[in-house]
Amino acid sequence: MRRRPADYRRPVRRRFSYWIWALLGLFSVAGLVLFMVQHNYHEDRVEQPTLEKNAKSEHISYKGLNFTEEILSATSLARQLAEQISLAKAYVIIAKEHNNLQLAWEFSSKIRSCQLLLSKAAMREEPITLEEAEPIIKSLSALIFKAQDAHYDVATTIMTMKSHIQALEERAKAATIQSTVFGQLTAEALPKSLHCLNVKLTTDWLRKSSLQDLAEEKGNSPRLVDNNLYHFCIFSDNLLAVSVVINSTISNADHPKQLVFHIVTNGINYGAMQAWFLSNDFKGSTIEVQNIEEFSWLNASYAPVMKQLLDADSREYYFKGSEDLEVEPKFRNPKYIYLLNHLRFYIPEIYPQLEKVVFLDDDVVVQKDLTSLFSLDLHGNVNGAVETCLEAFHRYYKYLNFSNTIISSKFDPQACGWAFGMNVFDLIGWRKANVTARYHFWQGQNADQTLWKMGILPAGLLTFYGLTEPLDRRWHVLGLGYDLNIDNRLIETAAVIHFNGNMKPWLKLAIGRYKPLWERYVNQSHPYLQDCVTS
């Protein structure tokens, strides 16, 4: 068989290979072009919604603008305007002090324009634009330069503002002191209805000789010195308050006829007290009313508090006040040397034949039978009282001046305080320990008010130090005259609740939550009381 020549086959294969490579190259170029076109098309489709979305989000952010953050931002125009307002207000004060009323008026006008722009921006919830802020910023800057040319420089501004701040602080302090004084006056003032009641009863006492005869007869009753009965003492000039104390004690007693109440008041209220307690029924209990002015033994040669009452410096300190703003007004309250308050230190002298008594303040309400107090074992102590050091405040160091060596050498600063207002006194132990002499000693040491500054409690803490027996807390719950958040369960289980504080229950400023606890023992049916409340 004949074979084809090799040179005939080789050229045909070469032409076919060139065509293939040419077509492949063409397809590659076309594919690349199509890919680039398609890629650009997709990028355009994706970019458009993104821009639209960003535009929308920017629009929403303006609509939901937090203007507080805007005005606090260090780069915002609102912050710059606010700072200029503060500076402009300072220059208004300085210009007025220098009698430059025209400049002060110009500043005030620009301040109002600036405030108006800020309020508009806050209302529309959009930032202030440069076009809006620029005219005001420029005009305020020009005024500030004008003020500086008038020698109202930064140093002058700072000194002026400091003096104004100091003046405002002094005015605020004076207002606080005045508020405290007014609060105390309100707490101590006798409401008109109670004053009316006193007047009516005093009139009865003076007109009706039968009442005076009856008082003399009852004053000689052997029950007044019978130690088999339960004796309570109250020292007060508030007739209605004393009546509530006695009514509440009797109402909750198992055997009211075994109770004896010893009241001491002043000469002004003596007749009214006698008329009230002689003409009302108290379930067979015995009630004695005495006049403090008839205690001849209570004189300046015996009682330090009487010396303070007669001392010119003490009278100036307590009754006229002091110009020293560092001394709190409550420390200058004349009630702290009010003689009736100090009678509790003279109970053995007032009742020389009694062995044990329960002392009650006139702002307490009794809710349980108190006769079991008389059988409590005081373990040789003289005073039975509820301790108050569950709160950190009621420790000795809070009441007494421990920088004085007389105090620091004799007393523990962390010793627990206790409450006056419901106290059991063992008068036999009192006389043996000569407690009244201890009281006289400490009152004499504090003639210049350096050991303590307020109240009779510090004197009691010193006098009965080491002689006080702590009682169960449920016997005596305090704070109803100032604390709005006493636990109801604590009040319900208390034998005695105490309205200590300025918000006394017979005043309009009493705490409404506690007032019914006191009012339930007021004799609302008495015709005099009804007439006085109505009138």
Side-chain angles (χ1 to χ4, degrees), residues 399-433:
Y399 295 99
L400 304 170
N401 178 16
F402 274 86
S403 64
N404 191 304
T405 54
I406 299 175
I407 297 294
S408 59
S409 63
K410 295 180 181 295
F411 301 97
D412 176 9
Q414 293 297 329
C416 195
W418 44 266
F420 259 142
M422 197 290 299
N423 303 79
V424 187
F425 290 123
D426 178 1
L427 301 186
I428 297 174
W430 183 314
R431 295 181 186 102
K432 286 181 178 178

PDB file of all heavy atoms in Angstrom, residues 399-433:
ATOM      1  N   TYR A 399     -23.480  62.663 122.355  1.00  0.00           N
ATOM      2  CA  TYR A 399     -24.150  63.629 123.223  1.00  0.00           C
ATOM      3  C   TYR A 399     -23.181  64.485 124.037  1.00  0.00           C
ATOM      4  O   TYR A 399     -23.519  65.597 124.422  1.00  0.00           O
ATOM      5  CB  TYR A 399     -25.072  62.899 124.209  1.00  0.00           C
ATOM      6  CG  TYR A 399     -26.222  62.171 123.570  1.00  0.00           C
ATOM      7  CD1 TYR A 399     -26.164  60.796 123.344  1.00  0.00           C
ATOM      8  CD2 TYR A 399     -27.373  62.844 123.186  1.00  0.00           C
ATOM      9  CE1 TYR A 399     -27.225  60.122 122.768  1.00  0.00           C
ATOM     10  CE2 TYR A 399     -28.439  62.179 122.602  1.00  0.00           C
ATOM     11  CZ  TYR A 399     -28.356  60.815 122.397  1.00  0.00           C
ATOM     12  OH  TYR A 399     -29.395  60.150 121.819  1.00  0.00           O
ATOM     13  N   LEU A 400     -21.995  63.941 124.307  1.00  0.00           N
ATOM     14  CA  LEU A 400     -21.087  64.581 125.260  1.00  0.00           C
ATOM     15  C   LEU A 400     -19.781  64.982 124.588  1.00  0.00           C
ATOM     16  O   LEU A 400     -19.376  64.409 123.564  1.00  0.00           O
ATOM     17  CB  LEU A 400     -20.803  63.622 126.423  1.00  0.00           C
ATOM     18  CG  LEU A 400     -22.037  63.102 127.165  1.00  0.00           C
ATOM     19  CD1 LEU A 400     -21.646  61.986 128.124  1.00  0.00           C
ATOM     20  CD2 LEU A 400     -22.747  64.222 127.902  1.00  0.00           C
ATOM     21  N   ASN A 401     -19.114  65.942 125.180  1.00  0.00           N
ATOM     22  CA  ASN A 401     -17.860  66.461 124.650  1.00  0.00           C
ATOM     23  C   ASN A 401     -16.689  65.666 125.231  1.00  0.00           C
ATOM     24  O   ASN A 401     -16.191  65.981 126.321  1.00  0.00           O
ATOM     25  CB  ASN A 401     -17.737  67.948 124.984  1.00  0.00           C
ATOM     26  CG  ASN A 401     -16.430  68.537 124.493  1.00  0.00           C
ATOM     27  OD1 ASN A 401     -15.742  67.948 123.656  1.00  0.00           O
ATOM     28  ND2 ASN A 401     -16.067  69.700 125.016  1.00  0.00           N
ATOM     29  N   PHE A 402     -16.249  64.647 124.488  1.00  0.00           N
ATOM     30  CA  PHE A 402     -15.172  63.787 124.986  1.00  0.00           C
ATOM     31  C   PHE A 402     -13.789  64.402 124.798  1.00  0.00           C
ATOM     32  O   PHE A 402     -12.789  63.808 125.187  1.00  0.00           O
ATOM     33  CB  PHE A 402     -15.257  62.413 124.327  1.00  0.00           C
ATOM     34  CG  PHE A 402     -16.191  61.477 125.031  1.00  0.00           C
ATOM     35  CD1 PHE A 402     -17.546  61.475 124.733  1.00  0.00           C
ATOM     36  CD2 PHE A 402     -15.733  60.630 126.020  1.00  0.00           C
ATOM     37  CE1 PHE A 402     -18.423  60.637 125.397  1.00  0.00           C
ATOM     38  CE2 PHE A 402     -16.596  59.790 126.694  1.00  0.00           C
ATOM     39  CZ  PHE A 402     -17.947  59.783 126.386  1.00  0.00           C
ATOM     40  N   SER A 403     -13.709  65.587 124.212  1.00  0.00           N
ATOM     41  CA  SER A 403     -12.414  66.280 124.180  1.00  0.00           C
ATOM     42  C   SER A 403     -12.122  66.923 125.539  1.00  0.00           C
ATOM     43  O   SER A 403     -10.993  67.323 125.811  1.00  0.00           O
ATOM     44  CB  SER A 403     -12.425  67.356 123.092  1.00  0.00           C
ATOM     45  OG  SER A 403     -13.386  68.361 123.379  1.00  0.00           O
ATOM     46  N   ASN A 404     -13.163  66.994 126.376  1.00  0.00           N
ATOM     47  CA  ASN A 404     -12.984  67.493 127.744  1.00  0.00           C
ATOM     48  C   ASN A 404     -12.531  66.335 128.634  1.00  0.00           C
ATOM     49  O   ASN A 404     -13.155  65.279 128.671  1.00  0.00           O
ATOM     50  CB  ASN A 404     -14.305  68.086 128.247  1.00  0.00           C
ATOM     51  CG  ASN A 404     -14.150  68.858 129.534  1.00  0.00           C
ATOM     52  OD1 ASN A 404     -13.664  68.337 130.526  1.00  0.00           O
ATOM     53  ND2 ASN A 404     -14.564  70.116 129.522  1.00  0.00           N
ATOM     54  N   THR A 405     -11.448  66.553 129.353  1.00  0.00           N
ATOM     55  CA  THR A 405     -10.868  65.461 130.158  1.00  0.00           C
ATOM     56  C   THR A 405     -11.806  65.018 131.288  1.00  0.00           C
ATOM     57  O   THR A 405     -11.737  63.869 131.724  1.00  0.00           O
ATOM     58  CB  THR A 405      -9.522  65.898 130.759  1.00  0.00           C
ATOM     59  OG1 THR A 405      -9.707  67.123 131.493  1.00  0.00           O
ATOM     60  CG2 THR A 405      -8.488  66.122 129.664  1.00  0.00           C
ATOM     61  N   ILE A 406     -12.674  65.891 131.751  1.00  0.00           N
ATOM     62  CA  ILE A 406     -13.617  65.502 132.809  1.00  0.00           C
ATOM     63  C   ILE A 406     -14.545  64.402 132.297  1.00  0.00           C
ATOM     64  O   ILE A 406     -14.876  63.456 133.017  1.00  0.00           O
ATOM     65  CB  ILE A 406     -14.455  66.723 133.265  1.00  0.00           C
ATOM     66  CG1 ILE A 406     -13.540  67.797 133.827  1.00  0.00           C
ATOM     67  CG2 ILE A 406     -15.503  66.315 134.299  1.00  0.00           C
ATOM     68  CD1 ILE A 406     -14.274  69.081 134.198  1.00  0.00           C
ATOM     69  N   ILE A 407     -14.932  64.515 131.032  1.00  0.00           N
ATOM     70  CA  ILE A 407     -15.818  63.515 130.424  1.00  0.00           C
ATOM     71  C   ILE A 407     -15.034  62.273 130.022  1.00  0.00           C
ATOM     72  O   ILE A 407     -15.403  61.136 130.349  1.00  0.00           O
ATOM     73  CB  ILE A 407     -16.542  64.104 129.198  1.00  0.00           C
ATOM     74  CG1 ILE A 407     -17.447  65.271 129.613  1.00  0.00           C
ATOM     75  CG2 ILE A 407     -17.349  63.041 128.473  1.00  0.00           C
ATOM     76  CD1 ILE A 407     -18.617  64.893 130.481  1.00  0.00           C
ATOM     77  N   SER A 408     -13.918  62.465 129.310  1.00  0.00           N
ATOM     78  CA  SER A 408     -13.173  61.323 128.759  1.00  0.00           C
ATOM     79  C   SER A 408     -12.570  60.437 129.840  1.00  0.00           C
ATOM     80  O   SER A 408     -12.360  59.239 129.622  1.00  0.00           O
ATOM     81  CB  SER A 408     -12.071  61.828 127.820  1.00  0.00           C
ATOM     82  OG  SER A 408     -11.175  62.684 128.508  1.00  0.00           O
ATOM     83  N   SER A 409     -12.306  61.003 131.012  1.00  0.00           N
ATOM     84  CA  SER A 409     -11.690  60.208 132.082  1.00  0.00           C
ATOM     85  C   SER A 409     -12.701  59.377 132.864  1.00  0.00           C
ATOM     86  O   SER A 409     -12.316  58.465 133.598  1.00  0.00           O
ATOM     87  CB  SER A 409     -10.937  61.132 133.047  1.00  0.00           C
ATOM     88  OG  SER A 409     -11.841  62.031 133.677  1.00  0.00           O
ATOM     89  N   LYS A 410     -13.993  59.651 132.716  1.00  0.00           N
ATOM     90  CA  LYS A 410     -14.991  58.986 133.549  1.00  0.00           C
ATOM     91  C   LYS A 410     -16.005  58.147 132.768  1.00  0.00           C
ATOM     92  O   LYS A 410     -16.699  57.316 133.358  1.00  0.00           O
ATOM     93  CB  LYS A 410     -15.758  60.031 134.373  1.00  0.00           C
ATOM     94  CG  LYS A 410     -14.907  60.768 135.398  1.00  0.00           C
ATOM     95  CD  LYS A 410     -15.738  61.778 136.171  1.00  0.00           C
ATOM     96  CE  LYS A 410     -14.899  62.531 137.184  1.00  0.00           C
ATOM     97  NZ  LYS A 410     -14.359  61.670 138.266  1.00  0.00           N
ATOM     98  N   PHE A 411     -16.099  58.349 131.444  1.00  0.00           N
ATOM     99  CA  PHE A 411     -17.181  57.701 130.700  1.00  0.00           C
ATOM    100  C   PHE A 411     -16.654  57.005 129.448  1.00  0.00           C
ATOM    101  O   PHE A 411     -15.652  57.428 128.855  1.00  0.00           O
ATOM    102  CB  PHE A 411     -18.248  58.726 130.304  1.00  0.00           C
ATOM    103  CG  PHE A 411     -18.866  59.429 131.486  1.00  0.00           C
ATOM    104  CD1 PHE A 411     -18.403  60.679 131.881  1.00  0.00           C
ATOM    105  CD2 PHE A 411     -19.876  58.825 132.217  1.00  0.00           C
ATOM    106  CE1 PHE A 411     -18.955  61.324 132.973  1.00  0.00           C
ATOM    107  CE2 PHE A 411     -20.431  59.465 133.316  1.00  0.00           C
ATOM    108  CZ  PHE A 411     -19.965  60.714 133.690  1.00  0.00           C
ATOM    109  N   ASP A 412     -17.337  55.953 129.068  1.00  0.00           N
ATOM    110  CA  ASP A 412     -17.017  55.207 127.853  1.00  0.00           C
ATOM    111  C   ASP A 412     -17.757  55.859 126.683  1.00  0.00           C
ATOM    112  O   ASP A 412     -18.998  55.930 126.690  1.00  0.00           O
ATOM    113  CB  ASP A 412     -17.466  53.750 128.018  1.00  0.00           C
ATOM    114  CG  ASP A 412     -17.244  52.933 126.754  1.00  0.00           C
ATOM    115  OD1 ASP A 412     -16.592  53.438 125.813  1.00  0.00           O
ATOM    116  OD2 ASP A 412     -17.744  51.788 126.706  1.00  0.00           O
ATOM    117  N   PRO A 413     -17.045  56.343 125.663  1.00  0.00           N
ATOM    118  CA  PRO A 413     -17.730  57.008 124.546  1.00  0.00           C
ATOM    119  C   PRO A 413     -18.679  56.092 123.786  1.00  0.00           C
ATOM    120  O   PRO A 413     -19.629  56.551 123.152  1.00  0.00           O
ATOM    121  CB  PRO A 413     -16.581  57.483 123.651  1.00  0.00           C
ATOM    122  CG  PRO A 413     -15.411  56.653 124.038  1.00  0.00           C
ATOM    123  CD  PRO A 413     -15.593  56.330 125.482  1.00  0.00           C
ATOM    124  N   GLN A 414     -18.427  54.768 123.847  1.00  0.00           N
ATOM    125  CA  GLN A 414     -19.291  53.813 123.144  1.00  0.00           C
ATOM    126  C   GLN A 414     -20.431  53.286 124.022  1.00  0.00           C
ATOM    127  O   GLN A 414     -21.185  52.409 123.592  1.00  0.00           O
ATOM    128  CB  GLN A 414     -18.459  52.629 122.634  1.00  0.00           C
ATOM    129  CG  GLN A 414     -17.465  52.997 121.533  1.00  0.00           C
ATOM    130  CD  GLN A 414     -18.153  53.491 120.280  1.00  0.00           C
ATOM    131  OE1 GLN A 414     -19.258  53.073 119.957  1.00  0.00           O
ATOM    132  NE2 GLN A 414     -17.498  54.379 119.539  1.00  0.00           N
ATOM    133  N   ALA A 415     -20.558  53.824 125.220  1.00  0.00           N
ATOM    134  CA  ALA A 415     -21.648  53.388 126.108  1.00  0.00           C
ATOM    135  C   ALA A 415     -22.992  53.676 125.452  1.00  0.00           C
ATOM    136  O   ALA A 415     -23.148  54.641 124.703  1.00  0.00           O
ATOM    137  CB  ALA A 415     -21.546  54.094 127.451  1.00  0.00           C
ATOM    138  N   CYS A 416     -23.962  52.831 125.750  1.00  0.00           N
ATOM    139  CA  CYS A 416     -25.254  52.894 125.081  1.00  0.00           C
ATOM    140  C   CYS A 416     -26.154  53.943 125.720  1.00  0.00           C
ATOM    141  O   CYS A 416     -26.311  53.995 126.939  1.00  0.00           O
ATOM    142  CB  CYS A 416     -25.921  51.523 125.178  1.00  0.00           C
ATOM    143  SG  CYS A 416     -27.298  51.334 124.063  1.00  0.00           S
ATOM    144  N   GLY A 417     -26.734  54.796 124.876  1.00  0.00           N
ATOM    145  CA  GLY A 417     -27.715  55.754 125.357  1.00  0.00           C
ATOM    146  C   GLY A 417     -29.054  55.079 125.637  1.00  0.00           C
ATOM    147  O   GLY A 417     -29.287  53.932 125.263  1.00  0.00           O
ATOM    148  N   TRP A 418     -29.934  55.791 126.305  1.00  0.00           N
ATOM    149  CA  TRP A 418     -31.253  55.257 126.628  1.00  0.00           C
ATOM    150  C   TRP A 418     -32.263  56.395 126.537  1.00  0.00           C
ATOM    151  O   TRP A 418     -31.892  57.558 126.364  1.00  0.00           O
ATOM    152  CB  TRP A 418     -31.260  54.603 128.019  1.00  0.00           C
ATOM    153  CG  TRP A 418     -30.549  55.389 129.083  1.00  0.00           C
ATOM    154  CD1 TRP A 418     -29.253  55.250 129.466  1.00  0.00           C
ATOM    155  CD2 TRP A 418     -31.099  56.457 129.869  1.00  0.00           C
ATOM    156  NE1 TRP A 418     -28.943  56.157 130.444  1.00  0.00           N
ATOM    157  CE2 TRP A 418     -30.064  56.909 130.727  1.00  0.00           C
ATOM    158  CE3 TRP A 418     -32.345  57.065 129.954  1.00  0.00           C
ATOM    159  CZ2 TRP A 418     -30.245  57.954 131.633  1.00  0.00           C
ATOM    160  CZ3 TRP A 418     -32.535  58.099 130.863  1.00  0.00           C
ATOM    161  CH2 TRP A 418     -31.495  58.529 131.690  1.00  0.00           C
ATOM    162  N   ALA A 419     -33.536  56.047 126.644  1.00  0.00           N
ATOM    163  CA  ALA A 419     -34.601  57.018 126.376  1.00  0.00           C
ATOM    164  C   ALA A 419     -35.228  57.530 127.666  1.00  0.00           C
ATOM    165  O   ALA A 419     -35.538  56.761 128.569  1.00  0.00           O
ATOM    166  CB  ALA A 419     -35.679  56.376 125.512  1.00  0.00           C
ATOM    167  N   PHE A 420     -35.420  58.858 127.734  1.00  0.00           N
ATOM    168  CA  PHE A 420     -36.308  59.462 128.716  1.00  0.00           C
ATOM    169  C   PHE A 420     -37.703  59.485 128.113  1.00  0.00           C
ATOM    170  O   PHE A 420     -37.867  59.742 126.907  1.00  0.00           O
ATOM    171  CB  PHE A 420     -35.870  60.894 129.027  1.00  0.00           C
ATOM    172  CG  PHE A 420     -35.109  61.051 130.307  1.00  0.00           C
ATOM    173  CD1 PHE A 420     -34.039  61.933 130.392  1.00  0.00           C
ATOM    174  CD2 PHE A 420     -35.480  60.344 131.441  1.00  0.00           C
ATOM    175  CE1 PHE A 420     -33.339  62.095 131.578  1.00  0.00           C
ATOM    176  CE2 PHE A 420     -34.787  60.502 132.633  1.00  0.00           C
ATOM    177  CZ  PHE A 420     -33.711  61.383 132.702  1.00  0.00           C
ATOM    178  N   GLY A 421     -38.715  59.273 128.951  1.00  0.00           N
ATOM    179  CA  GLY A 421     -40.092  59.322 128.446  1.00  0.00           C
ATOM    180  C   GLY A 421     -40.958  58.246 129.052  1.00  0.00           C
ATOM    181  O   GLY A 421     -42.158  58.446 129.277  1.00  0.00           O
ATOM    182  N   MET A 422     -40.360  57.094 129.331  1.00  0.00           N
ATOM    183  CA  MET A 422     -41.007  56.012 130.067  1.00  0.00           C
ATOM    184  C   MET A 422     -39.907  55.336 130.861  1.00  0.00           C
ATOM    185  O   MET A 422     -39.122  54.566 130.329  1.00  0.00           O
ATOM    186  CB  MET A 422     -41.687  55.026 129.108  1.00  0.00           C
ATOM    187  CG  MET A 422     -42.711  54.103 129.775  1.00  0.00           C
ATOM    188  SD  MET A 422     -42.002  52.858 130.871  1.00  0.00           S
ATOM    189  CE  MET A 422     -40.971  51.910 129.770  1.00  0.00           C
ATOM    190  N   ASN A 423     -39.819  55.695 132.126  1.00  0.00           N
ATOM    191  CA  ASN A 423     -38.733  55.213 132.970  1.00  0.00           C
ATOM    192  C   ASN A 423     -39.286  54.698 134.297  1.00  0.00           C
ATOM    193  O   ASN A 423     -40.196  55.285 134.868  1.00  0.00           O
ATOM    194  CB  ASN A 423     -37.725  56.329 133.257  1.00  0.00           C
ATOM    195  CG  ASN A 423     -37.160  56.931 131.984  1.00  0.00           C
ATOM    196  OD1 ASN A 423     -37.813  57.752 131.352  1.00  0.00           O
ATOM    197  ND2 ASN A 423     -35.964  56.534 131.620  1.00  0.00           N
ATOM    198  N   VAL A 424     -38.691  53.600 134.770  1.00  0.00           N
ATOM    199  CA  VAL A 424     -39.018  53.055 136.092  1.00  0.00           C
ATOM    200  C   VAL A 424     -37.918  53.504 137.041  1.00  0.00           C
ATOM    201  O   VAL A 424     -36.735  53.241 136.791  1.00  0.00           O
ATOM    202  CB  VAL A 424     -39.074  51.515 136.069  1.00  0.00           C
ATOM    203  CG1 VAL A 424     -39.571  50.987 137.408  1.00  0.00           C
ATOM    204  CG2 VAL A 424     -39.954  51.026 134.945  1.00  0.00           C
ATOM    205  N   PHE A 425     -38.303  54.180 138.118  1.00  0.00           N
ATOM    206  CA  PHE A 425     -37.316  54.677 139.076  1.00  0.00           C
ATOM    207  C   PHE A 425     -37.506  53.984 140.425  1.00  0.00           C
ATOM    208  O   PHE A 425     -38.601  54.010 141.001  1.00  0.00           O
ATOM    209  CB  PHE A 425     -37.443  56.186 139.261  1.00  0.00           C
ATOM    210  CG  PHE A 425     -37.011  56.984 138.050  1.00  0.00           C
ATOM    211  CD1 PHE A 425     -37.890  57.867 137.441  1.00  0.00           C
ATOM    212  CD2 PHE A 425     -35.738  56.843 137.529  1.00  0.00           C
ATOM    213  CE1 PHE A 425     -37.502  58.603 136.345  1.00  0.00           C
ATOM    214  CE2 PHE A 425     -35.337  57.578 136.421  1.00  0.00           C
ATOM    215  CZ  PHE A 425     -36.226  58.459 135.823  1.00  0.00           C
ATOM    216  N   ASP A 426     -36.414  53.378 140.903  1.00  0.00           N
ATOM    217  CA  ASP A 426     -36.379  52.814 142.258  1.00  0.00           C
ATOM    218  C   ASP A 426     -35.915  53.941 143.182  1.00  0.00           C
ATOM    219  O   ASP A 426     -34.727  54.284 143.239  1.00  0.00           O
ATOM    220  CB  ASP A 426     -35.407  51.635 142.300  1.00  0.00           C
ATOM    221  CG  ASP A 426     -35.278  51.039 143.693  1.00  0.00           C
ATOM    222  OD1 ASP A 426     -35.965  51.526 144.634  1.00  0.00           O
ATOM    223  OD2 ASP A 426     -34.486  50.099 143.865  1.00  0.00           O
ATOM    224  N   LEU A 427     -36.867  54.528 143.919  1.00  0.00           N
ATOM    225  CA  LEU A 427     -36.551  55.709 144.714  1.00  0.00           C
ATOM    226  C   LEU A 427     -35.749  55.369 145.968  1.00  0.00           C
ATOM    227  O   LEU A 427     -35.009  56.220 146.480  1.00  0.00           O
ATOM    228  CB  LEU A 427     -37.841  56.438 145.090  1.00  0.00           C
ATOM    229  CG  LEU A 427     -38.698  56.899 143.893  1.00  0.00           C
ATOM    230  CD1 LEU A 427     -39.868  57.723 144.376  1.00  0.00           C
ATOM    231  CD2 LEU A 427     -37.862  57.682 142.891  1.00  0.00           C
ATOM    232  N   ILE A 428     -35.861  54.133 146.449  1.00  0.00           N
ATOM    233  CA  ILE A 428     -35.034  53.717 147.599  1.00  0.00           C
ATOM    234  C   ILE A 428     -33.562  53.689 147.178  1.00  0.00           C
ATOM    235  O   ILE A 428     -32.685  54.240 147.852  1.00  0.00           O
ATOM    236  CB  ILE A 428     -35.490  52.336 148.119  1.00  0.00           C
ATOM    237  CG1 ILE A 428     -36.922  52.414 148.646  1.00  0.00           C
ATOM    238  CG2 ILE A 428     -34.541  51.839 149.209  1.00  0.00           C
ATOM    239  CD1 ILE A 428     -37.497  51.068 149.051  1.00  0.00           C
ATOM    240  N   GLY A 429     -33.284  53.045 146.032  1.00  0.00           N
ATOM    241  CA  GLY A 429     -31.914  53.006 145.514  1.00  0.00           C
ATOM    242  C   GLY A 429     -31.423  54.383 145.123  1.00  0.00           C
ATOM    243  O   GLY A 429     -30.235  54.702 145.283  1.00  0.00           O
ATOM    244  N   TRP A 430     -32.320  55.210 144.617  1.00  0.00           N
ATOM    245  CA  TRP A 430     -31.969  56.586 144.232  1.00  0.00           C
ATOM    246  C   TRP A 430     -31.430  57.347 145.448  1.00  0.00           C
ATOM    247  O   TRP A 430     -30.395  58.010 145.378  1.00  0.00           O
ATOM    248  CB  TRP A 430     -33.228  57.259 143.688  1.00  0.00           C
ATOM    249  CG  TRP A 430     -33.072  58.659 143.157  1.00  0.00           C
ATOM    250  CD1 TRP A 430     -32.406  59.688 143.735  1.00  0.00           C
ATOM    251  CD2 TRP A 430     -33.616  59.183 141.939  1.00  0.00           C
ATOM    252  NE1 TRP A 430     -32.509  60.831 142.981  1.00  0.00           N
ATOM    253  CE2 TRP A 430     -33.252  60.544 141.863  1.00  0.00           C
ATOM    254  CE3 TRP A 430     -34.396  58.636 140.932  1.00  0.00           C
ATOM    255  CZ2 TRP A 430     -33.638  61.361 140.801  1.00  0.00           C
ATOM    256  CZ3 TRP A 430     -34.781  59.449 139.869  1.00  0.00           C
ATOM    257  CH2 TRP A 430     -34.400  60.793 139.793  1.00  0.00           C
ATOM    258  N   ARG A 431     -32.157  57.255 146.548  1.00  0.00           N
ATOM    259  CA  ARG A 431     -31.750  57.993 147.745  1.00  0.00           C
ATOM    260  C   ARG A 431     -30.428  57.457 148.304  1.00  0.00           C
ATOM    261  O   ARG A 431     -29.571  58.242 148.760  1.00  0.00           O
ATOM    262  CB  ARG A 431     -32.854  57.901 148.799  1.00  0.00           C
ATOM    263  CG  ARG A 431     -34.158  58.598 148.378  1.00  0.00           C
ATOM    264  CD  ARG A 431     -35.225  58.517 149.451  1.00  0.00           C
ATOM    265  NE  ARG A 431     -36.492  59.066 148.972  1.00  0.00           N
ATOM    266  CZ  ARG A 431     -37.530  58.334 148.562  1.00  0.00           C
ATOM    267  NH1 ARG A 431     -37.442  57.002 148.586  1.00  0.00           N
ATOM    268  NH2 ARG A 431     -38.632  58.914 148.137  1.00  0.00           N
ATOM    269  N   LYS A 432     -30.234  56.140 148.246  1.00  0.00           N
ATOM    270  CA  LYS A 432     -28.984  55.562 148.746  1.00  0.00           C
ATOM    271  C   LYS A 432     -27.787  56.024 147.907  1.00  0.00           C
ATOM    272  O   LYS A 432     -26.710  56.304 148.444  1.00  0.00           O
ATOM    273  CB  LYS A 432     -29.060  54.040 148.721  1.00  0.00           C
ATOM    274  CG  LYS A 432     -29.943  53.450 149.815  1.00  0.00           C
ATOM    275  CD  LYS A 432     -29.943  51.928 149.740  1.00  0.00           C
ATOM    276  CE  LYS A 432     -30.797  51.324 150.863  1.00  0.00           C
ATOM    277  NZ  LYS A 432     -30.848  49.840 150.758  1.00  0.00           N
ATOM    278  N   ALA A 433     -27.975  56.078 146.591  1.00  0.00           N
ATOM    279  CA  ALA A 433     -26.882  56.482 145.694  1.00  0.00           C
ATOM    280  C   ALA A 433     -26.746  57.998 145.609  1.00  0.00           C
ATOM    281  O   ALA A 433     -25.807  58.494 144.964  1.00  0.00           O
ATOM    282  CB  ALA A 433     -27.122  55.898 144.297  1.00  0.00           C
TER     283      ALA A 433
END
